[in-house]
């Protein structure tokens, strides 16, 4: 056990430390001892804030899921032709993924060993389904290609977007959220082939 | 330790068991004890075949890497306009990934904690670089779009292809290698937008 270094610890700062450790060691491989050491506060101080590591996981993935589902409530995701709404959602997914990088990274690594993990997987599937529905509607409108099966296309597009967590580093030297979002939108909708 | 169940064990069958266990538990989380139990042979029998788990890892990722680099030696990857060679390589990457699914899955999960893992990461980077060069040449020919930076485009295309290991299950009920390869080629080159 480590002695408390600061008594100004908030649930918010504890959460960000926990997410970092979960992403480094894996959720299963993280003990309360690891969290206590990383946060520099005692285990009993952590228990003052949360019931245990599963609550930290739930809060973290909730933050990622709220960010993603929030996109679907935005006006441009609700109003207009399906193809335009889809394009908007794809761009915003990239932006949210980068803005909430450690939280979305954790969400994407969830495996399903605990109730919280299974709930997170279920919510992810629900989000995927909502986007697949948008793609289906756009195909029905004749605005996107109909020759690639909707579920497969959705999986591949999510694969491209989600892969960003593997290499994007918010170090200020790299690309901005907007540049990555532009590139993803261009590739997802136009492909590599030169236009015109 | 488990008693030997079969004395017909070959390095090949041992390798396929090891890859399955590495993918399930993570390479770091796998002990010789786990391998011995999963293979149903004693640890000393395993040591008869290999020096240790790192050798099994090296053999497994070598198989994945040989499959991928082998593509670049194929005629259609060597002869013709860069854009066509690129399209061929993308399709073949999907086919190799599915044909060698557990081996490529393991390769993609390698983290870099051991010499073998760092070597595998280096070889992966080399392969990515070869494909990026092809994309660059195709852009220089004016055959693929030049408005998405080559390194970023390569990462996103690999992201889409590599995501297949997350959901593809070779259970005979799903899509064939060819169907997935077709869909990936269509999306990577043409995007979702309807052609014509």
């Amino acid at each position: 056990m480590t002695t408390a270094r600061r008594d100004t610890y908030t649930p918010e700062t504890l959460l960000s430390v926990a997410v970092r450790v979960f992403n480094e060691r894996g959720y299963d491989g993280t003990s309360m001892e690891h969290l206590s050491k990383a946060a520099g506060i005692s285990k009993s101080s952590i228990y003052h804030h949360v019931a245990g590591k599963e609550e930290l996981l739930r809060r973290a993935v909730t933050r990622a899921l709220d960010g993603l589902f929030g996109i679907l409530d935005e006006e441009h995701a609700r109003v207009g032709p399906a193809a335009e709404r889809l394009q908007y959602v794809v761009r915003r997914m990239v932006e949210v993924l980068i803005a909430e990088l450690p939280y979305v990274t954790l969400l994407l690594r969830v495996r399903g060993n605990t109730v919280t993990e299974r709930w997170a997987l279920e919510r992810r599937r629900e989000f995927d389904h909502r986007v697949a529905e948008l793609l289906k509607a756009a195909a029905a409108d004749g605005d996107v290609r109909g020759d690639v099966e909707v579920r497969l296309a959705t999986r591949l597009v999510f694969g491209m977007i989600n892969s960003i967590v593997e290499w994007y580093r918010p170090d200020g030297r790299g690309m901005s959220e907007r540049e990555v979002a532009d590139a993803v939108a261009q590739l997802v909708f136009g492909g590599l082939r030169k236009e015109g």
Side-chain angles (χ1 to χ4, degrees), chain A residues 35-57:
Chain A
L35 294 178
S36 157
K37 276 192 181 142
I41 58 174
S42 67
K43 280 195 271 186
S44 60
S45 297
I46 296 181
Y47 284 118
H48 176 72
H49 292 298
V50 290
K53 73 169 189 164
E54 197 168 344
E55 184 179 336
L56 287 164
L57 178 70

Side-chain angles (χ1 to χ4, degrees), chain A residues 28-172:
Chain A
D28 290 338
T30 302
S31 66
M32 287 299 276
E33 190 67 34
H34 294 132
L35 294 178
S36 157
K37 276 192 181 142
I41 58 174
S42 67
K43 280 195 271 186
S44 60
S45 297
I46 296 181
Y47 284 118
H48 176 72
H49 292 298
V50 290
K53 73 169 189 164
E54 197 168 344
E55 184 179 336
L56 287 164
L57 178 70
R58 186 177 54 73
R59 289 191 189 182
V61 295
T62 297
R63 180 162 156 172
L65 288 163
D66 285 352
L68 292 170
F69 277 95
I71 296 169
L72 303 176
D73 292 331
E74 290 169 11
E75 194 187 342
H76 294 295
R78 290 184 293 108
V79 181
E84 283 175 27
R85 288 188 283 142
L86 178 63
Q87 190 143 0
Y88 178 79
V89 168
V90 164
R91 290 190 59 97
R92 290 287 294 130
M93 275 176 68
V94 175
E95 287 170 2
V96 166
L97 185 146
I98 292 180
E100 303 287 354
L101 197 62
Y103 299 89
V104 178
T105 302
L106 183 64
L107 176 66
L108 295 176
R109 291 189 184 161
V110 152
R111 285 289 164 230
N113 294 324
T114 60
V115 172
T116 300
E117 287 172 281
R118 286 190 290 276
W119 165 80
L121 285 177
E122 186 51 49
R123 294 280 288 157
R124 261 188 72 185
R125 270 194 291 270
E126 199 181 317
F127 183 78
D128 294 8
H129 182 72
R130 295 276 299 273
V131 177
E133 287 297 309
L134 215 43
L135 179 52
K136 209 162 153 183
D141 291 347
D143 290 334
V144 307
R145 63 193 317 149
D147 59 349
V148 177
E149 198 252 324
V150 169
R151 209 159 118 247
L152 176 55
T154 309
R155 275 172 164 160
L156 292 171
V157 169
F158 272 88
M160 179 180 279
I161 296 173
N162 292 343
S163 74
I164 295 170
V165 305
E166 302 299 333
W167 55 264
Y168 189 85
R169 293 296 166 264
D171 54 8

